[in-house]
Every structure is written in C-alpha cells, then in structure tokens.
Amino acid sequence: MPMWNHLNFQDSNSPIMEQLIMFHDHTMMILIIITLFILYFMFMSIMNKHTNNLLMENQSIEIIWTLIPAFILILITIPSLRILYLMEEIFNPIITIKSIGHQWYWSYEYSDFNNIEFDSFMKSDQESLIRLLEVDNRLIVPMNNTIRILTTSMDVIHSWSLPSIGLKMDSIPGRINQSMFNISRPGIYVGQCSEICGANHSFMPIVMESIKMNNFINWIKMF
C-alpha cells in the first residue's frame, strides 16, 4: 500500500508487475552506465589542454558512436515489446469483470454470473481506517486465476488503476477497453482514478480483495 513517503514502486502482486519492475531496473542500469560514461568524457575534455587543429573527421569513430546507441536501443526495446504483448494477451480467463466509471464512484458487473452488479462508493473518514482509500463494496476476485477486466465510463473519461498489479486502463465513454491480470497472493489492493475527471476526482478509490477460490465461490452464492 502506498505511504506518504513512498518513492519507489509498490510491491508487485502479479507476474506482469514483476516483469515491469525488472524492466525498470534493467533500463535504469543502462541509463546510469551511459550517464557515468558521458560525465567521464566531459570531465576529461574539460581537463584536457591538447588540441588538434588538423583533425577534420574520423569515419571510424562516427560509425562506432552511431552503432553503439542503436545497440543500446535494441537492448531496451526487446524486453519492452515482450512485456507489452504479455499485457495485451488474454489467456483463457476464468471470469470477466466489467468496471464502469461514474462521477464519482465505480460500479462493477460480473458478466459470467446473473444479477451480480454493485456500486462501490468511498467510505467517510469516520468509517474507514485508511483515509480516501476505503470503499463500502470491494471488488472480490480469486487468486492465482486469469481474470479479464473490461472498463468503460458513463460520463467523462476515468482511469481504472491498480499499481501493485501493473494495471492502468482508460475508461472512455462509448468504448470498452480490456486487459487481464493474475494476482499471485491473497490480500487487499488499492488504487485510484488516474485521470482528472472533475471536482471529486480524488474521491473514487478502487479496492480489490484477492481470496481463495473456495471463498470466492461462497461469496458468489450470497447473491
């Protein structure tokens, strides 16, 4: 869960988020090496007192400093495209959930079951233990199962976002966006609308609870 002094990523709770964190670390290491390399040459150039007035060009150096950046970009692009395709693939989801954004709350529909739909409103400060991040009806999902999430909006553009599982989807009126996720462990995961959608944009949190399949079936039977 994010705290006021949280500067890094939240702990990953899905395979996709693990891949995103690994890609971030991979890219940051490349950037740090490039930055140190450039700083070293800038320092050496400043401290160097020698000049060569007759030097006009050097084809070998120009070829090298063209090929090396291209190779570095390939090192970054390949894992990036791999994660992008993994995020877009739908591998036989066990259930489908539809998320609908409103001003200013979320509603959910379980498309595979009859008459399972509910609204999710933020609780007041007196009712919640975590300010601005608690709702009256949580989104319940089974852990270790592939789940497809659909999202749209009834009014303005919203964004359904859960950072700890690596999901951020725009909820656009008249359009349905889809993605998939697989939560690795049980727990409660929180997010917020990530698109400025009006006066109460900060008051429509997202709370997902991941539970075992048996408990999920018992929860479904309550409806």
Side-chain angles (χ1 to χ4, degrees), residues 28-212:
M28 287 303 298
M29 286 301 299
I30 294 175
L31 293 178
I32 290 171
I33 292 172
I34 292 173
T35 302
L36 293 177
F37 184 77
I38 292 174
L39 289 175
Y40 170 76
F41 272 90
M42 289 178 62
F43 177 77
M44 295 301 295
S45 298
I46 292 172
M47 299 302 294
N48 187 6
K49 303 298 183 181
H50 303 288
T51 58
N52 191 336
N53 295 329
L54 301 178
L55 181 63
M56 299 297 294
E57 62 177 344
N58 191 318
Q59 295 291 341
S60 300
I61 292 178
E62 290 185 3
I63 292 173
I64 290 172
W65 71 36
T66 301
L67 292 179
I68 290 179
F71 177 72
I72 293 173
L73 288 176
I74 292 173
L75 287 180
I76 297 175
T77 302
I78 291 176
S80 175
L81 290 175
R82 175 178 173 273
I83 296 174
L84 183 63
Y85 281 104
L86 284 176
M87 293 175 68
E88 295 296 327
E89 287 289 339
I90 304 295
F91 301 106
N92 299 321
I94 187 172
I95 61 172
T96 298
I97 301 172
K98 187 176 182 180
S99 168
I100 304 172
H102 305 263
Q103 289 184 313
W104 287 272
Y105 65 95
W106 295 96
S107 61
Y108 300 102
E109 299 177 4
Y110 287 72
S111 306
D112 301 309
F113 308 96
N114 292 328
N115 301 322
I116 299 184
E117 55 183 68
F118 53 86
D119 298 328
S120 181
F121 290 91
M122 187 187 73
K123 286 186 176 180
S124 63
D125 291 344
Q126 293 74 21
E127 298 175 312
S128 59
L129 296 175
I130 307 171
R131 184 174 181 268
L132 302 182
L133 288 177
E134 187 58 85
V135 296
D136 53 358
N137 293 309
R138 294 172 178 170
L139 180 63
I140 308 296
V141 297
M143 60 177 285
N144 290 326
N145 288 281
T146 302
I147 299 167
R148 179 171 62 177
I149 180 76
L150 308 175
T151 186
T152 186
S153 173
M154 295 298 291
D155 33 58
V156 298
I157 298 177
H158 301 278
S159 185
W160 199 86
S161 173
L162 278 176
S164 61
I165 62 173
L167 268 184
K168 183 179 183 296
M169 306 167 59
D170 289 335
S171 305
I172 302 173
R175 178 186 176 93
I176 296 179
N177 288 332
Q178 74 170 353
S179 186
M180 58 82 67
F181 62 90
N182 189 323
I183 298 184
S184 306
R185 56 184 67 90
I188 298 173
Y189 310 107
V190 298
Q192 291 178 302
C193 176
S194 299
E195 185 72 33
I196 298 176
C197 56
N200 291 332
H201 159 68
S202 302
F203 304 103
M204 47 184 304
I206 301 161
V207 181
M208 175 185 292
E209 184 174 355
S210 172
I211 59 178
K212 295 181 179 179

